[in-house]
Amino acid sequence: MRRATVAALLLFVVLSLVLTYPLALHMADAVEDRQDALLNVWITAWDGHQLLSDPLGLFDANIFFPYPRTLAYSELLLGNGLLALPVTAATGNPVLGYNAALLLSFVLSGLGTYLLVLRLTRSPGAGLVAGTIFAFSAYRMTNLAQAQLLTTQWMPFALLALFQLMRRPRARYVAVFVLFFCLQSLSSFYYAILLAMAVAGLILWQLAVRVWLRARGRPYGGAPVPRMALHLLVAAVLCMLIVLPFAVPYFQVQRELGFERSLADSEPFSASLRQYVMVSPDSVFHGRWLPSDDTPIAGGYAVDALFPGLLALTLALWGLARGRGRTRRLQWFFLLLALLSLVLSFGPRLYLAPGEPVGLEVPLPYAWLYSVVPGFKALRAPVRFDALVMLSLAVLAGYGVVAGRDRQAGERQVRGGKPVLAGAGALLVVALVVLESLAWPAAQVEAVPVGSDVPPVYGWLADHGAGPVLELPMAFTPGGPQLEYQYLSTYHWRTTPDGYSGFVPPKHGQIVYEM
């Protein structure tokens, strides 16, 4: 299977380059937009800078001086920081490091899902189709400016490690699961919650299946429950010990500055029924017959397009109809996970379309979670649960690829004793999934100064003193936030009372007014 995996990796690299055109041609000197993309360049560069110079001061970022822990005003993106660090350190170009991490999010999302589905179905073709569906979903392709939404790549790796851990409890599987769970959690605390939900659900589902089979006197493979439970407990404790120090600053700023979102704040960033049939305005295949909308809404971005794709839906339904035995039980789990994530993506109440509530007074489950789950009050965008919808749907579509074949051929896909990457049919399905995902152009290109184009004053600031600097006009000015000064601070890292992030400290508006 190694050749098949290498071939799959190369295919995901090629698809990532093509489907992010023309940004892939300007990785060293351009970003998707001049707002959230520049914010994420700054976060990614700060992570790498502090890891090398002062890891214990990671959260004391250089914006909103003199407030402490200002990195906790937005996503940590530490996973992206680690991916970008070698590139940025070698080139001195934070834009190139950021774009390399962004591109890798597509490659690794595809590869992780490929390996997960390969493990579940033993079909490289099924894994290839599933990886393509997840990596290049409409949700991901319409949010290229927001790296925090693209950091889904560690979810399938973590679930794969969990399957291995539950089947064969070993210290190495504990270590691998902890690694990927922590990478996902430290890349995005939104996705930490999503992944924790999927992990807990899978553990409970597998235990429930064992009880059900035992009650009927039917065999169930796998390790003894006590041994498995011990290894899972060790993994949970290790994850908590690693993630907790990074979560504490978020709880501190939430308590000290009152940073929390109301349920009303989350409604403009919740999915609606109409969005699940929407595609990008530049969609090549579906653009003529499915709705699209590039009108800016809350936050200055267009409505998220969430259409999962006709092929993904068809394959998932076909797999559900044809599943048998153990395969059937796992399909039911991923179906339930997809449906639960879908409901949570709607937020506290159901909308027909953005700004058009259905009128039902009964709150959705998201409202209950908001009131009881720690950290939920810092969340703003329930639509991000679509990432888990698409991962579940991709797995189900993988089952659909092998559903119509003979069991041995479908599960092993062996010809003459040698594994085959994918037959012509699987490659055709991949091509059709790509066609459904294709938007042209896929990305925008906003040039930013790098290298010799950076004004010399920033090199001067880096060499002269370490006090705070204020540049005018400040970020929050008429016409929208201006982040170029914050981005350019990556060349000197001097502190500043100015800044832009997911939250803004209480006194900042007064400073802007005075200036």
Side-chain angles (χ1 to χ4, degrees):
M1 293 293 179
R2 290 183 180 179
R3 289 184 180 180
T5 300
V6 171
L9 173 61
L10 293 176
L11 180 61
F12 289 129
V13 170
V14 172
L15 291 178
S16 299
L17 291 171
V18 171
L19 293 176
T20 56
Y21 175 87
L23 185 61
L25 299 180
H26 299 274
M27 292 178 60
D29 58 6
V31 291
E32 166 73 9
D33 78 352
R34 304 185 74 85
Q35 189 169 319
D36 274 11
L38 281 182
L39 170 64
N40 291 324
V41 171
W42 170 80
I43 294 175
T44 304
W46 173 263
D47 288 344
H49 169 74
Q50 287 299 92
L51 288 175
L52 293 179
S53 60
D54 182 17
L56 296 180
L58 177 64
F59 281 91
D60 294 320
N62 68 320
I63 59 172
F64 298 127
F65 176 83
Y67 284 94
R69 296 180 290 275
T70 53
L71 188 63
Y73 294 2
S74 191
E75 289 279 22
L76 180 58
L77 291 181
L78 188 59
N80 277 24
L82 292 171
L83 292 176
L85 178 55
V87 178
T88 303
T91 65
N93 185 340
V95 171
L96 180 59
Y98 165 80
N99 281 326
L102 185 146
L103 196 69
L104 282 171
S105 76
F106 288 93
V107 176
L108 294 174
S109 290
L111 180 63
T113 309
Y114 164 84
L115 292 172
L116 173 62
V117 174
L118 177 63
R119 161 68 178 78
L120 297 177
T121 67
R122 299 194 180 273
S123 167
L128 203 60
V129 171
T132 306
I133 289 171
F134 180 57
F136 305 106
S137 66
Y139 170 71
R140 289 176 53 83
M141 298 306 298
T142 54
N143 282 294
L144 292 178
Q146 297 176 294
Q148 68 273 25
L149 306 188
L150 302 178
T151 59
T152 59
Q153 63 263 32
W154 309 118
M155 285 188 194
F157 285 105
L159 291 178
L160 173 60
L162 180 63
F163 271 110
Q164 295 292 91
L165 174 58
M166 296 181 71
R167 183 170 176 265
R168 293 181 179 177
R170 300 283 191 278
R172 64 178 180 270
Y173 294 137
V174 170
V176 173
F177 171 76
V178 170
L179 171 66
F180 288 124
F181 185 92
C182 291
L183 279 173
Q184 186 61 75
S185 300
L186 300 180
S187 297
S188 167
F189 282 111
Y190 272 92
Y191 293 151
I193 292 175
L194 269 65
L195 180 56
M197 183 178 78
V199 166
L202 180 57
I203 293 172
L204 292 175
W205 179 268
Q206 295 287 69
L207 291 175
V209 167
R210 287 192 177 206
V211 171
W212 183 80
L213 290 173
R214 182 175 297 175
R216 284 157 180 76
R218 296 167 61 181
Y220 185 90
V225 171
R227 184 181 176 190
M228 182 181 68
L230 177 61
H231 283 75
L232 289 172
L233 179 61
V234 170
V237 170
L238 289 174
C239 288
M240 186 177 300
L241 291 175
I242 294 172
V243 173
L244 189 59
F246 295 93
V248 167
Y250 285 88
F251 290 112
Q252 288 176 318
V253 298
Q254 181 179 347
R255 183 182 66 251
E256 294 167 1
L257 301 179
F259 285 173
E260 64 180 38
R261 312 286 189 181
S262 68
L263 275 177
D265 290 335
S266 68
E267 290 185 12
F269 300 93
S270 299
S272 65
L273 293 172
R274 185 173 186 266
Q275 284 174 254
Y276 275 98
V277 293
M278 284 178 55
V279 295
S280 165
D282 300 312
S283 173
V284 172
F285 186 77
H286 293 303
R288 294 187 178 182
W289 67 282
L290 284 178
S292 61
D293 191 353
D294 59 359
T295 305
I297 58 167
Y301 288 94
V303 173
D304 288 306
L306 305 177
F307 182 60
L310 289 174
L311 209 53
L313 290 170
T314 302
L315 287 171
L317 291 173
W318 176 251
L320 286 166
R322 301 287 294 182
R324 295 290 185 274
R326 179 174 176 272
T327 292
R328 183 75 162 184
R329 294 191 291 270
L330 282 175
Q331 285 177 296
W332 275 111
F333 166 73
F334 283 106
L335 175 62
L336 292 174
L337 183 61
L339 293 175
L340 175 60
S341 303
L342 175 68
V343 172
L344 291 176
S345 75
F346 292 131
R349 62 172 175 159
L350 190 61
Y351 279 75
L352 286 172
E356 299 179 23
V358 171
L360 299 175
E361 297 301 326
V362 179
L364 295 178
Y366 186 91
W368 177 78
L369 291 174
Y370 175 89
S371 64
V372 301
V373 177
F376 239 74
K377 292 185 178 180
L379 305 185
R380 181 177 63 169
V383 69
R384 297 189 191 184
F385 277 90
D386 183 65
L388 208 51
V389 174
M390 288 308 303
L391 178 57
S392 303
L393 189 64
V395 173
L396 291 173
Y399 279 115
V401 171
V402 298
R405 302 175 182 177
D406 172 75
R407 176 172 296 183
Q408 183 176 0
E411 292 182 355
R412 300 185 181 277
Q413 206 177 59
V414 174
R415 296 176 182 175
K418 296 182 179 179
V420 180
L421 167 62
L427 292 177
L428 175 61
V429 174
V430 168
L432 292 175
V433 171
V434 170
L435 181 60
E436 281 202 83
S437 303
L438 185 62
W440 202 262
Q444 303 178 56
V445 172
E446 293 284 346
V448 293
V450 297
S452 60
D453 292 330
V454 174
V457 64
Y458 295 102
W460 187 91
L461 285 170
D463 296 333
H464 291 77
V469 173
L470 178 61
E471 297 178 84
L472 298 176
M474 295 182 74
F476 286 93
T477 58
Q482 306 296 319
L483 275 82
E484 187 157 311
Y485 293 153
Q486 185 165 327
Y487 154 67
L488 289 169
S489 76
T490 62
Y491 288 90
H492 60 78
W493 293 122
R494 299 275 285 268
T495 57
T496 175
D498 201 10
Y500 172 84
S501 194
F503 284 104
V504 178
K507 299 292 185 181
H508 188 65
Q510 181 179 344
I511 298 173
V512 174
Y513 173 78
E514 294 294 341
M515 292 300 101

